[in-house]
Structure formats: C-alpha cells, structure tokens
C-alpha cells in the first residue's frame, strides 16, 4: 500500500449503521470491513468524508465511529473489531491533511500553517477527546467556523 501510494476513501459514519448488517450477512468475513488501522499500518493514506447526503454532514459521528467502533447506542459492548480503532490524531489526519493531499490541494489546505488557507472549524469538546474518547467528541459542538481567515459563524 505504501509503495503503491494507495489512497483509500472511506466514510466512518457508515460504520454506525453497518455493524449489525455486516455481522448478520457477512459473519466472520466482516472482520475486514472498515479495517482502518490495518490499512493505515500498511501505509495507505486514509481519506475520510461524510458521504453527504447519504450520511450527515456533521463530522462528529464519523470521528466517533473511527475512535469507538460502536453504534451510537454503544454496541457491541467494548466496540466492534477494536484492533481497527484509530487514535484521534489519525482520524483528524484523514479528514484534513490526507484529504487535502488526495484532492490535489495539499500545498495550501489541510494544515494550520503559514501560507495555507485558513479554513477551519474550532470544536469545543471535553479534554477526554485527547485520550481518543469518541463519546467526548460526539458530545462536543462547533464553537466557530473560519473561512479564508475570517470568522464566519460563532456559536452563542
């Protein structure tokens, strides 16, 4: 995967509804579904998105799914194929740096750095997010949005 420069586009939010379907129809073959960590460890570049309008534009569900590998109700207990869980840093990279690179805009998007477009959403979340707690991210909210360096939307 690394030598081939493989880019894998996935929508983690689909995991939330697919877990019971995969278990029901694929059985043990489902272990390879949503294999985020294995793909990353093999050197693939994971690119994450929402798949709107099929799934919500709100990225919290996708971040939660990649971190917890559980439905919104928390099942299965302890997570689903938990060795495929990602760390917050890996999830954010999929939604930012690697997504920009795959879109051909990596020279000016995807990072907060001098010379890069200042387009971002600042999230207000519980500090438990830093320990890869998906529930904490899911419970957070967008504090403000910046487009081209200008604050566009601020939560009151």
């Amino acid at each position: 995967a690394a030598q081939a420069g493989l880019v894998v586009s996935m929508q983690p939010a689909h995991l939330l509804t697919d877990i019971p379907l995969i278990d029901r129809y694929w059985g043990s073959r489902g272990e390879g579904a949503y294999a985020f960590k294995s793909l990353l460890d093999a050197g693939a570049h994971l690119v994450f998105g929402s798949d709107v309008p099929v799934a919500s534009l709100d990225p919290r569900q996708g971040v939660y799914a990649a971190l917890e590998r559980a439905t919104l109700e928390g099942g299965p207990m302890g997570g689903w194929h938990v060795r495929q869980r990602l760390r917050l840093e890996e999830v954010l990279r999929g939604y930012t740096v690697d997504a920009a690179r795959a879109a051909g805009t990596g020279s000016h998007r995807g990072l907060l750095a001098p010379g890069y477009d200042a387009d971002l959403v600042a999230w207000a979340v519980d500090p438990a997010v830093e320990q890869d707690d998906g529930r904490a991210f899911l419970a957070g909210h967008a504090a403000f949005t910046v487009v081209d360096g200008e604050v566009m939307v601020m939560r009151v």
Side-chain angles (χ1 to χ4, degrees):
Q3 294 171 338
L6 187 63
V7 174
V8 181
S9 178
M10 303 176 86
Q11 294 73 37
H14 288 306
L15 180 65
L16 302 173
T17 55
D18 286 355
I19 290 172
L21 297 172
I22 292 168
D23 285 347
R24 180 176 179 183
Y25 294 107
W26 294 0
S28 62
R29 293 177 296 145
E31 188 171 346
Y34 298 96
F36 303 139
K37 189 66 172 163
S38 292
L39 287 164
L40 199 61
D41 289 348
H45 296 279
L46 294 183
V47 174
F48 291 151
S50 67
D51 199 25
V52 89
V54 176
S56 172
L57 178 63
D58 186 339
R60 291 178 295 176
Q61 291 183 2
V63 172
Y64 165 82
L67 292 173
E68 298 296 330
R69 297 189 61 87
T71 65
L72 291 174
E73 294 76 30
M77 185 69 80
W80 185 76
H81 301 295
V82 295
R83 65 190 160 286
Q84 296 298 335
R85 278 185 176 144
L86 295 179
R87 296 184 336 268
L88 180 64
E89 178 183 327
E90 295 166 329
V91 176
L92 294 179
R93 184 175 189 84
Y95 278 105
T96 58
V97 175
D98 284 343
R101 225 180 252 148
T105 60
S107 64
H108 62 280
R109 291 193 175 147
L111 287 173
L112 290 177
Y116 280 66
D117 295 345
D119 298 341
L120 62 102
V121 176
W123 292 91
V125 294
D126 184 293
V129 168
E130 294 179 33
Q131 273 66 56
D132 307 318
D133 184 329
R135 281 258 169 232
F137 193 84
L138 190 60
H141 66 270
F144 59 90
T145 301
V146 177
V147 178
D148 199 23
E150 182 181 336
V151 175
M152 302 302 287
V153 177
M154 192 148 208
R155 183 175 174 150
V156 282

